[in-house]
Amino acid sequence: MSSIIVHGGHPITGEMKIQGSKNAALPILAASILIHGITVIKHCPKITDVFCMIEILKQLGCQISWEENSTLIIDSSSIEKVRLSLEEAGKMRSSITLLGALLGRKREAFIPYPGGCSIGKRPIDIHLTVLKELGIEIEQTEKGVYAKKTKAPSGKVMLSFPSVGATQNAVLASIYSDSQVILKNCAIEPEVTELCYFLNQAGAKIEGIGSKTLIIHGVSRLQEVTYEIRGDRIAAGTYLAAAVMTRGSLTVKKIDPKELSSVLELYQKMGNFVKVYQDAIFLDASKRKYLEALNVTTEPYPGFPTDMQSQVMSLMTIANGKSEIIENVFEDRFKTAAELNKMGAEITIEENPKRALIQGVKQLSKAEVIAPDLRGGAALVIAALQAEGETKIENAFYIERGYEDIVGTLRDLGGIVVLR
Ligand code: UD1
């Protein structure tokens, strides 16, 4: 299993174009099976989660090929299967969105319980409750979920929590119908919005995009579509964090700064200079005197994203004073703390309320650490870029699930990083 080796102490500086969004690409790939023909997805990130979704789609009967410039061509003319194998589905959480997509296309689906990062319990009760309330028959076995659509989804359904995946699943299951569905308390993360835009471009009729209430007027067929995935806000936030950590200066292009507002505000409050353009962000950390300690609480969008929590924890390890993080979205997302402590950080985790207290230190030091999950792994790379000496981050596969060539990208920006 490969590791990432980082020789710290080199500022991350320069200019980069950000990869396509992982969390937008995955549900859009799943949604492509609703289309009886070709879907062209441009700016699709080349990451292992996407490769894994491609394998699942191929198993279901899609013909898929890459073209140059990260363009993915999916031919979903014939979908033969409605059952996912445990091997593929178990690897990634977002396989659950195939439940809604298969229900839409084939009226039935069997999905083994999904895998993904170990950042908490990650149940699927909200997904199943919403689908049931839309009129889908659900049967849960020890191995997974069997669902059947015997009538058109309809009615007004309220999500008990604005879950990103459950909102996406409910939308996907409701597209093909001769009725209308109103979904209330929806997640408004950009990745939900983007799925809706993709579907509308293919001929779906979704109203209220970007708001907490989505109205889906059923249609009988979607048409072939070409769609360009937007820049990955979390990857952008991660590379900017690397610049903050190393007192670098970085321009990230192909990103909508509005999607990162809460994160950019935090970087600014910590003492860094940030300037936003229509589709780019410039951050300069080279002139800052010190990194300000701060408190942050993760929340659903537009609040501070849980997917940036670990990377910001790395920044706080070298801040001037004591910082606090409250994690409100995933209960088990502080595993990175123990690894950062191996590098000389001073983090304590408290229960009730669950929070991380971080006492800033001047300098981190080299260590052998283990990526606990995708974002935690990225956080360790960021920490290692600041640390004195050579840090080895094991379980690099977690990081490769979401970051396209992170090693090459950081190297191009002045980091000394290798994959071994
Ligand atoms: C998506 C993102 C993930 C991000 C998260 C929150 C993808 C592939 N993943 O995950 O990167 O961190 O949104 O922004 O897009 N929950 C339940 N029952 C459910 C569903 C969710 O209790 O049926 C809980 C979860 O355990 C978690 C919280 O709700 O505590 C948020 O989960 P959700 O919004 O569903 O996140 P995901 O869609 O899994």
Side-chain angles (χ1 to χ4, degrees), residues 101-117:
L102 276 170
L103 280 167
R105 174 72 183 261
K106 302 294 281 184
R107 310 180 75 87
E108 64 174 325
F110 175 80
I111 312 281
Y113 292 117
C117 277

Side-chain angles (χ1 to χ4, degrees), residues 37-192:
I38 308 277
T39 303
V40 179
I41 302 177
K42 293 184 169 174
H43 199 217
C44 188
K46 288 190 163 162
I47 51 177
T48 48
D49 265 12
V50 164
F51 301 149
C52 186
M53 181 61 97
I54 289 174
E55 280 318 304
I56 297 176
L57 293 178
K58 281 185 178 167
Q59 271 189 32
L60 295 174
C62 298
Q63 309 274 328
I64 305 184
S65 58
W66 285 98
E67 283 202 346
E68 53 185 321
N69 295 332
S70 308
T71 297
L72 193 65
I73 317 278
I74 306 175
D75 182 350
S76 310
S77 303
S78 76
I79 299 288
E80 288 135 24
K81 290 195 190 152
V82 296
R83 296 181 79 86
L84 257 61
S85 81
L86 179 62
E87 201 209 331
E88 295 296 346
K91 282 186 200 157
M92 61 195 293
R93 170 82 182 167
S94 54
S95 58
I96 189 69
T97 48
L98 283 159
L99 187 59
L102 276 170
L103 280 167
R105 174 72 183 261
K106 302 294 281 184
R107 310 180 75 87
E108 64 174 325
F110 175 80
I111 312 281
Y113 292 117
C117 277
S118 53
I119 54 179
K121 292 197 287 287
R122 307 198 86 168
I124 54 168
D125 56 315
I126 306 172
H127 297 247
L128 301 185
T129 306
V130 174
L131 291 176
K132 268 187 216 161
E133 288 178 14
L134 287 171
I136 308 286
E137 287 172 16
I138 304 272
E139 195 187 314
Q140 274 187 277
T141 69
E142 233 171 69
K143 293 203 170 115
V145 180
Y146 176 71
K148 198 166 170 60
K149 179 169 151 183
T150 49
K151 56 178 192 276
S154 64
K156 197 188 272 187
V157 172
M158 170 101 168
L159 278 80
S160 59
F161 174 86
S163 150
V164 172
T167 305
Q168 291 168 334
N169 243 333
V171 169
L172 289 168
S174 305
I175 295 296
Y176 284 145
S177 159
D178 53 12
S179 189
Q180 178 187 283
V181 164
I182 301 178
L183 297 173
K184 297 209 142 245
N185 197 27
C186 293
I188 54 168
E189 266 68 3
E191 297 77 23
V192 172

